[in-house]
Amino acid sequence: MSEVTVIGLGVMGSAIVRALLDKGHDTTVWNRTRSKAEPLVERGANLAQDAAAAVRASPIVLVCVRDHRVTRDILAVPEVRPHLAGRTIVQLSGGTPQQARESERWIGESGAMYLDGEIMVYPDQIGRPEGTILVAGPEAVFQRCEPLLRSVAGRIIHVGEPIGGANAYGVAMGGVLYGALLGAVHGARVCEVEGVSVGLFARMMAEGDLATISAAVLDLLKRIDSDRYGDSQGTLGTGAGGAEQMLEHARATGIDSEFAVCAAAVFRRGLDAGLGGEDPAALIKLLRR
Ligand SMILES: NC(=O)c1ccc[n+]([C@@H]2O[C@H](COP(=O)([O-])OP(=O)(O)OC[C@H]3O[C@@H](n4cnc5c(N)ncnc54)[C@H](OP(=O)(O)O)[C@@H]3O)[C@@H](O)[C@H]2O)c1
């Protein structure tokens, strides 16, 4: 028997296996497309002939496939499901809290223990100290798997026992990430259309502007956590003015205005609700309605 099995050898699953092998863990692997296992077998992984053999090979099975539905398609079939009993399945495929709870249900009914993880970094950061994985599930099961997971990522955070918690933070982080990425694309297009350097924009961000934005995001989250919206250095009213300018500029130059329309509309709703003198964190009051 090996120490751990990894099912799913895409970009992320392969990075997980390399990290485990580098730390000396006896690792069995399986992937639908067998050729992706070859470089890992060359590094020392054991290749299972099918998914059932992969599950049988180890007490702990990490699954990193496209989504929870694929996990079910692989594990919940008659040839594989009976072998789940007594094993610990650690789901590292991304998903929503609802999908995680559904996986907990059918995996639990199969007699296996279940942890649900959300990988918060890119494959390059796997196996490194800054690699971050959030994990939800029973404390005792987590403690048993923690040393192994620490070989995969240096920053393993147990977010609590209820399954779905890790995915909730994943969805929440996605909001911050996608907002920032869309804003950055919009900003780059503004530079292009005005004939100023995107490279200088990037350097200014690196030299301090991104840090200022990070600090503003942290301040906003702390304010929401403590329901405190007064004494703002930059009120919602000021933000609304900036968002309107961004929209006016997009319309004047004919660049894609979808991002600016959305931002201006949300701030305008805040103004209409009488929140103009409060911190932009007060927009949460609109979202709670
Ligand atoms: N890459 C990242 O930056 C990143 C970051 C955080 C979290 N994640 C999460 O990690 C998971 C894997 O991502 P990835 O980047 O490794 O994706 P990927 O390279 O596209 O790999 C997808 C994996 O899912 C398998 N798969 C897809 N459909 C299948 C099916 N119907 N039956 C059996 N296997 C199937 C693929 O098998 P085949 O090789 O046979 O196609 C492959 O092993 C995702 O849930 C993703 O959200 C990824």
Side-chain angles (χ1 to χ4, degrees):
M1 208 179 213
S2 58
E3 200 180 342
V4 58
T5 286
V6 179
I7 290 180
L9 304 174
V11 189
M12 184 56 89
S14 293
I16 289 170
V17 175
R18 285 194 297 274
L20 288 167
L21 293 173
D22 287 351
K23 302 270 167 45
H25 297 285
D26 186 4
T27 306
T28 296
V29 298
W30 182 82
N31 191 56
R32 177 182 63 172
T33 306
R34 184 186 273 243
S35 57
K36 291 187 189 167
E38 283 163 13
L40 302 166
V41 171
E42 276 170 29
R43 286 171 85 120
N46 318 301
L47 178 62
Q49 290 311 306
D50 51 37
V55 168
R56 278 198 309 272
S58 314
I60 298 175
V61 179
L62 311 185
V63 185
C64 185
V65 290
R66 191 180 62 210
D67 55 32
H68 285 242
R69 184 174 301 171
V70 170
T71 300
R72 192 172 178 147
D73 288 348
I74 295 171
L75 297 183
V77 294
E79 315 85 74
V80 182
R81 195 164 180 164
H83 303 292
L84 297 179
R87 294 188 156 72
T88 298
I89 308 301
V90 184
Q91 175 81 268
L92 295 175
S93 317
T96 65
Q98 290 71 24
Q99 290 165 350
R101 287 190 279 270
E102 173 59 14
S103 293
E104 176 189 33
R105 189 190 58 73
W106 71 260
I107 288 174
E109 285 172 5
S110 310
M113 285 147 281
Y114 185 62
L115 293 177
D116 202 292
E118 187 73 25
I119 301 173
M120 305 298 277
V121 292
Y122 291 108
D124 277 359
Q125 294 159 292
I126 291 297
R128 299 174 59 85
E130 76 272 19
T132 303
I133 302 179
L134 310 182
V135 183
E139 177 73 37
V141 182
F142 171 73
Q143 280 183 12
R144 202 157 31 74
C145 297
E146 189 184 7
L148 195 71
L149 291 172
R150 283 210 185 279
S151 293
V152 175
R155 210 168 146 242
I156 298 293
I157 301 172
H158 186 223
V159 297
E161 298 215 333
I163 293 291
N167 312 75
Y169 285 117
V171 174
M173 194 71 84
V176 179
L177 174 67
Y178 300 131
L181 294 181
L182 290 179
V185 173
H186 183 88
R189 184 68 190 122
V190 169
C191 294
E192 285 180 354
V193 79
E194 292 296 343
V196 298
S197 161
V198 178
L200 179 57
F201 183 40
R203 280 204 300 285
M204 289 190 299
M205 284 291 194
E207 286 166 6
D209 293 323
L210 207 48
T212 304
I213 292 169
S214 296
V217 170
L218 284 179
D219 179 62
L220 178 142
L221 292 176
K222 286 178 186 165
R223 282 172 175 275
I224 293 172
D225 188 42
S226 56
D227 244 356
R228 188 174 46 81
Y229 306 106
D231 300 325
S232 179
Q233 292 208 65
T235 62
L236 192 152
T238 308
E244 289 294 347
Q245 275 174 24
M246 182 169 67
L247 178 56
E248 188 183 321
H249 175 268
R251 286 187 170 143
T253 54
I255 66 174
D256 190 304
S257 62
E258 206 166 358
F259 175 77
V261 166
C262 173
V266 175
F267 273 104
R268 210 176 299 133
R269 278 175 58 206
L271 282 187
D272 292 346
L275 304 173
E278 299 190 19
D279 189 84
L283 288 172
I284 190 77
K285 297 180 194 177
L286 297 181
L287 272 60
R288 283 176 182 152
R289 279 179 197 165

PDB file of all heavy atoms in Angstrom, residues 118 120 167-183 217 220-221 259 262 287:
ATOM      1  N   GLU A 118      -9.857  23.973  -0.832  1.00  0.00           N
ATOM      2  CA  GLU A 118      -9.909  24.966  -1.913  1.00  0.00           C
ATOM      3  C   GLU A 118      -8.478  25.470  -2.092  1.00  0.00           C
ATOM      4  O   GLU A 118      -7.886  26.053  -1.174  1.00  0.00           O
ATOM      5  CB  GLU A 118     -10.848  26.103  -1.509  1.00  0.00           C
ATOM      6  CG  GLU A 118     -11.118  27.115  -2.588  1.00  0.00           C
ATOM      7  CD  GLU A 118     -12.034  26.610  -3.709  1.00  0.00           C
ATOM      8  OE1 GLU A 118     -12.834  25.694  -3.486  1.00  0.00           O
ATOM      9  OE2 GLU A 118     -11.923  27.156  -4.822  1.00  0.00           O
ATOM     10  N   MET A 120      -5.808  27.933  -3.224  1.00  0.00           N
ATOM     11  CA  MET A 120      -5.909  29.389  -3.409  1.00  0.00           C
ATOM     12  C   MET A 120      -4.751  29.957  -4.230  1.00  0.00           C
ATOM     13  O   MET A 120      -4.585  31.173  -4.297  1.00  0.00           O
ATOM     14  CB  MET A 120      -5.934  30.084  -2.033  1.00  0.00           C
ATOM     15  CG  MET A 120      -7.027  29.578  -1.113  1.00  0.00           C
ATOM     16  SD  MET A 120      -8.685  29.860  -1.773  1.00  0.00           S
ATOM     17  CE  MET A 120      -8.943  31.555  -1.283  1.00  0.00           C
ATOM     18  N   ASN A 167     -14.839  26.417   0.409  1.00  0.00           N
ATOM     19  CA  ASN A 167     -15.348  26.885  -0.888  1.00  0.00           C
ATOM     20  C   ASN A 167     -15.961  28.270  -0.769  1.00  0.00           C
ATOM     21  O   ASN A 167     -15.882  29.071  -1.697  1.00  0.00           O
ATOM     22  CB  ASN A 167     -16.388  25.902  -1.425  1.00  0.00           C
ATOM     23  CG  ASN A 167     -15.889  24.485  -1.344  1.00  0.00           C
ATOM     24  OD1 ASN A 167     -15.854  23.923  -0.252  1.00  0.00           O
ATOM     25  ND2 ASN A 167     -15.456  23.924  -2.448  1.00  0.00           N
ATOM     26  N   ALA A 168     -16.572  28.542   0.397  1.00  0.00           N
ATOM     27  CA  ALA A 168     -17.147  29.883   0.597  1.00  0.00           C
ATOM     28  C   ALA A 168     -16.051  30.939   0.506  1.00  0.00           C
ATOM     29  O   ALA A 168     -16.208  31.965  -0.176  1.00  0.00           O
ATOM     30  CB  ALA A 168     -17.847  29.958   1.951  1.00  0.00           C
ATOM     31  N   TYR A 169     -14.910  30.666   1.163  1.00  0.00           N
ATOM     32  CA  TYR A 169     -13.791  31.625   1.059  1.00  0.00           C
ATOM     33  C   TYR A 169     -13.251  31.683  -0.369  1.00  0.00           C
ATOM     34  O   TYR A 169     -12.813  32.733  -0.834  1.00  0.00           O
ATOM     35  CB  TYR A 169     -12.672  31.263   2.039  1.00  0.00           C
ATOM     36  CG  TYR A 169     -13.005  31.603   3.470  1.00  0.00           C
ATOM     37  CD1 TYR A 169     -13.106  30.615   4.436  1.00  0.00           C
ATOM     38  CD2 TYR A 169     -13.215  32.923   3.872  1.00  0.00           C
ATOM     39  CE1 TYR A 169     -13.428  30.916   5.754  1.00  0.00           C
ATOM     40  CE2 TYR A 169     -13.537  33.234   5.176  1.00  0.00           C
ATOM     41  CZ  TYR A 169     -13.639  32.222   6.121  1.00  0.00           C
ATOM     42  OH  TYR A 169     -13.958  32.532   7.410  1.00  0.00           O
ATOM     43  N   GLY A 170     -13.296  30.545  -1.050  1.00  0.00           N
ATOM     44  CA  GLY A 170     -12.845  30.533  -2.447  1.00  0.00           C
ATOM     45  C   GLY A 170     -13.712  31.433  -3.312  1.00  0.00           C
ATOM     46  O   GLY A 170     -13.207  32.221  -4.123  1.00  0.00           O
ATOM     47  N   VAL A 171     -15.032  31.324  -3.132  1.00  0.00           N
ATOM     48  CA  VAL A 171     -15.946  32.164  -3.914  1.00  0.00           C
ATOM     49  C   VAL A 171     -15.735  33.635  -3.538  1.00  0.00           C
ATOM     50  O   VAL A 171     -15.706  34.526  -4.394  1.00  0.00           O
ATOM     51  CB  VAL A 171     -17.422  31.735  -3.679  1.00  0.00           C
ATOM     52  CG1 VAL A 171     -18.378  32.699  -4.369  1.00  0.00           C
ATOM     53  CG2 VAL A 171     -17.657  30.315  -4.188  1.00  0.00           C
ATOM     54  N   ALA A 172     -15.558  33.878  -2.223  1.00  0.00           N
ATOM     55  CA  ALA A 172     -15.356  35.262  -1.760  1.00  0.00           C
ATOM     56  C   ALA A 172     -14.070  35.847  -2.352  1.00  0.00           C
ATOM     57  O   ALA A 172     -14.040  36.985  -2.837  1.00  0.00           O
ATOM     58  CB  ALA A 172     -15.294  35.294  -0.233  1.00  0.00           C
ATOM     59  N   MET A 173     -13.015  35.052  -2.338  1.00  0.00           N
ATOM     60  CA  MET A 173     -11.728  35.509  -2.887  1.00  0.00           C
ATOM     61  C   MET A 173     -11.856  35.748  -4.391  1.00  0.00           C
ATOM     62  O   MET A 173     -11.250  36.672  -4.937  1.00  0.00           O
ATOM     63  CB  MET A 173     -10.661  34.443  -2.607  1.00  0.00           C
ATOM     64  CG  MET A 173      -9.254  34.909  -2.817  1.00  0.00           C
ATOM     65  SD  MET A 173      -8.739  36.059  -1.547  1.00  0.00           S
ATOM     66  CE  MET A 173      -8.224  34.915  -0.265  1.00  0.00           C
ATOM     67  N   GLY A 174     -12.669  34.911  -5.048  1.00  0.00           N
ATOM     68  CA  GLY A 174     -12.901  35.094  -6.482  1.00  0.00           C
ATOM     69  C   GLY A 174     -13.488  36.468  -6.767  1.00  0.00           C
ATOM     70  O   GLY A 174     -13.138  37.113  -7.759  1.00  0.00           O
ATOM     71  N   GLY A 175     -14.373  36.930  -5.889  1.00  0.00           N
ATOM     72  CA  GLY A 175     -14.951  38.261  -6.080  1.00  0.00           C
ATOM     73  C   GLY A 175     -13.880  39.332  -6.102  1.00  0.00           C
ATOM     74  O   GLY A 175     -13.875  40.224  -6.963  1.00  0.00           O
ATOM     75  N   VAL A 176     -12.930  39.236  -5.152  1.00  0.00           N
ATOM     76  CA  VAL A 176     -11.844  40.233  -5.075  1.00  0.00           C
ATOM     77  C   VAL A 176     -10.938  40.100  -6.303  1.00  0.00           C
ATOM     78  O   VAL A 176     -10.589  41.085  -6.967  1.00  0.00           O
ATOM     79  CB  VAL A 176     -11.024  40.054  -3.780  1.00  0.00           C
ATOM     80  CG1 VAL A 176      -9.893  41.070  -3.728  1.00  0.00           C
ATOM     81  CG2 VAL A 176     -11.923  40.194  -2.560  1.00  0.00           C
ATOM     82  N   LEU A 177     -10.597  38.840  -6.632  1.00  0.00           N
ATOM     83  CA  LEU A 177      -9.672  38.607  -7.749  1.00  0.00           C
ATOM     84  C   LEU A 177     -10.260  39.088  -9.078  1.00  0.00           C
ATOM     85  O   LEU A 177      -9.612  39.833  -9.816  1.00  0.00           O
ATOM     86  CB  LEU A 177      -9.328  37.117  -7.828  1.00  0.00           C
ATOM     87  CG  LEU A 177      -8.485  36.690  -9.026  1.00  0.00           C
ATOM     88  CD1 LEU A 177      -7.086  37.292  -8.939  1.00  0.00           C
ATOM     89  CD2 LEU A 177      -8.384  35.174  -9.115  1.00  0.00           C
ATOM     90  N   TYR A 178     -11.491  38.655  -9.369  1.00  0.00           N
ATOM     91  CA  TYR A 178     -12.063  38.982 -10.681  1.00  0.00           C
ATOM     92  C   TYR A 178     -12.340  40.483 -10.786  1.00  0.00           C
ATOM     93  O   TYR A 178     -12.183  41.071 -11.857  1.00  0.00           O
ATOM     94  CB  TYR A 178     -13.311  38.143 -10.969  1.00  0.00           C
ATOM     95  CG  TYR A 178     -12.986  36.660 -10.961  1.00  0.00           C
ATOM     96  CD1 TYR A 178     -13.742  35.749 -10.241  1.00  0.00           C
ATOM     97  CD2 TYR A 178     -11.880  36.189 -11.654  1.00  0.00           C
ATOM     98  CE1 TYR A 178     -13.414  34.401 -10.214  1.00  0.00           C
ATOM     99  CE2 TYR A 178     -11.541  34.843 -11.630  1.00  0.00           C
ATOM    100  CZ  TYR A 178     -12.308  33.953 -10.910  1.00  0.00           C
ATOM    101  OH  TYR A 178     -11.977  32.630 -10.872  1.00  0.00           O
ATOM    102  N   GLY A 179     -12.754  41.093  -9.655  1.00  0.00           N
ATOM    103  CA  GLY A 179     -12.930  42.548  -9.669  1.00  0.00           C
ATOM    104  C   GLY A 179     -11.617  43.236 -10.016  1.00  0.00           C
ATOM    105  O   GLY A 179     -11.569  44.144 -10.857  1.00  0.00           O
ATOM    106  N   ALA A 180     -10.521  42.762  -9.395  1.00  0.00           N
ATOM    107  CA  ALA A 180      -9.207  43.384  -9.636  1.00  0.00           C
ATOM    108  C   ALA A 180      -8.735  43.138 -11.072  1.00  0.00           C
ATOM    109  O   ALA A 180      -8.221  44.045 -11.732  1.00  0.00           O
ATOM    110  CB  ALA A 180      -8.181  42.835  -8.645  1.00  0.00           C
ATOM    111  N   LEU A 181      -8.920  41.903 -11.562  1.00  0.00           N
ATOM    112  CA  LEU A 181      -8.451  41.597 -12.922  1.00  0.00           C
ATOM    113  C   LEU A 181      -9.225  42.406 -13.966  1.00  0.00           C
ATOM    114  O   LEU A 181      -8.628  42.967 -14.896  1.00  0.00           O
ATOM    115  CB  LEU A 181      -8.578  40.096 -13.209  1.00  0.00           C
ATOM    116  CG  LEU A 181      -7.672  39.167 -12.389  1.00  0.00           C
ATOM    117  CD1 LEU A 181      -7.895  37.711 -12.793  1.00  0.00           C
ATOM    118  CD2 LEU A 181      -6.203  39.529 -12.538  1.00  0.00           C
ATOM    119  N   LEU A 182     -10.559  42.486 -13.790  1.00  0.00           N
ATOM    120  CA  LEU A 182     -11.363  43.256 -14.758  1.00  0.00           C
ATOM    121  C   LEU A 182     -10.987  44.733 -14.695  1.00  0.00           C
ATOM    122  O   LEU A 182     -10.888  45.410 -15.718  1.00  0.00           O
ATOM    123  CB  LEU A 182     -12.854  43.084 -14.459  1.00  0.00           C
ATOM    124  CG  LEU A 182     -13.439  41.692 -14.754  1.00  0.00           C
ATOM    125  CD1 LEU A 182     -14.921  41.654 -14.400  1.00  0.00           C
ATOM    126  CD2 LEU A 182     -13.245  41.323 -16.220  1.00  0.00           C
ATOM    127  N   GLY A 183     -10.748  45.223 -13.466  1.00  0.00           N
ATOM    128  CA  GLY A 183     -10.345  46.618 -13.320  1.00  0.00           C
ATOM    129  C   GLY A 183      -9.000  46.877 -13.974  1.00  0.00           C
ATOM    130  O   GLY A 183      -8.790  47.918 -14.607  1.00  0.00           O
ATOM    131  N   VAL A 217      -8.681  47.696   0.532  1.00  0.00           N
ATOM    132  CA  VAL A 217      -9.536  46.506   0.553  1.00  0.00           C
ATOM    133  C   VAL A 217      -9.580  45.919   1.969  1.00  0.00           C
ATOM    134  O   VAL A 217     -10.649  45.560   2.486  1.00  0.00           O
ATOM    135  CB  VAL A 217      -9.032  45.447  -0.466  1.00  0.00           C
ATOM    136  CG1 VAL A 217      -9.751  44.122  -0.287  1.00  0.00           C
ATOM    137  CG2 VAL A 217      -9.208  45.954  -1.897  1.00  0.00           C
ATOM    138  N   LEU A 220     -11.696  48.043   4.202  1.00  0.00           N
ATOM    139  CA  LEU A 220     -13.115  47.839   3.883  1.00  0.00           C
ATOM    140  C   LEU A 220     -13.657  46.562   4.550  1.00  0.00           C
ATOM    141  O   LEU A 220     -14.716  46.576   5.179  1.00  0.00           O
ATOM    142  CB  LEU A 220     -13.284  47.780   2.358  1.00  0.00           C
ATOM    143  CG  LEU A 220     -14.680  47.529   1.809  1.00  0.00           C
ATOM    144  CD1 LEU A 220     -14.925  48.364   0.544  1.00  0.00           C
ATOM    145  CD2 LEU A 220     -14.887  46.052   1.475  1.00  0.00           C
ATOM    146  N   LEU A 221     -12.881  45.467   4.468  1.00  0.00           N
ATOM    147  CA  LEU A 221     -13.353  44.207   5.053  1.00  0.00           C
ATOM    148  C   LEU A 221     -13.443  44.314   6.576  1.00  0.00           C
ATOM    149  O   LEU A 221     -14.398  43.827   7.188  1.00  0.00           O
ATOM    150  CB  LEU A 221     -12.424  43.053   4.650  1.00  0.00           C
ATOM    151  CG  LEU A 221     -12.458  42.683   3.163  1.00  0.00           C
ATOM    152  CD1 LEU A 221     -11.429  41.600   2.858  1.00  0.00           C
ATOM    153  CD2 LEU A 221     -13.845  42.200   2.737  1.00  0.00           C
ATOM    154  N   PHE A 259     -17.498  47.355 -17.665  1.00  0.00           N
ATOM    155  CA  PHE A 259     -16.963  47.400 -16.294  1.00  0.00           C
ATOM    156  C   PHE A 259     -17.322  48.735 -15.631  1.00  0.00           C
ATOM    157  O   PHE A 259     -17.788  48.780 -14.489  1.00  0.00           O
ATOM    158  CB  PHE A 259     -15.434  47.208 -16.342  1.00  0.00           C
ATOM    159  CG  PHE A 259     -14.773  47.351 -15.006  1.00  0.00           C
ATOM    160  CD1 PHE A 259     -14.837  46.325 -14.074  1.00  0.00           C
ATOM    161  CD2 PHE A 259     -14.087  48.507 -14.671  1.00  0.00           C
ATOM    162  CE1 PHE A 259     -14.237  46.457 -12.825  1.00  0.00           C
ATOM    163  CE2 PHE A 259     -13.481  48.651 -13.429  1.00  0.00           C
ATOM    164  CZ  PHE A 259     -13.555  47.622 -12.516  1.00  0.00           C
ATOM    165  N   CYS A 262     -21.043  49.073 -14.690  1.00  0.00           N
ATOM    166  CA  CYS A 262     -21.361  48.302 -13.481  1.00  0.00           C
ATOM    167  C   CYS A 262     -20.888  49.052 -12.233  1.00  0.00           C
ATOM    168  O   CYS A 262     -21.646  49.242 -11.278  1.00  0.00           O
ATOM    169  CB  CYS A 262     -20.713  46.919 -13.580  1.00  0.00           C
ATOM    170  SG  CYS A 262     -20.864  45.964 -12.082  1.00  0.00           S
ATOM    171  N   LEU A 287     -26.164  45.323  -0.613  1.00  0.00           N
ATOM    172  CA  LEU A 287     -26.087  43.913  -0.981  1.00  0.00           C
ATOM    173  C   LEU A 287     -26.855  43.023  -0.001  1.00  0.00           C
ATOM    174  O   LEU A 287     -27.272  41.921  -0.352  1.00  0.00           O
ATOM    175  CB  LEU A 287     -24.617  43.457  -1.063  1.00  0.00           C
ATOM    176  CG  LEU A 287     -23.944  43.654  -2.431  1.00  0.00           C
ATOM    177  CD1 LEU A 287     -23.931  45.115  -2.845  1.00  0.00           C
ATOM    178  CD2 LEU A 287     -22.530  43.114  -2.417  1.00  0.00           C
TER     179      LEU A 287
END
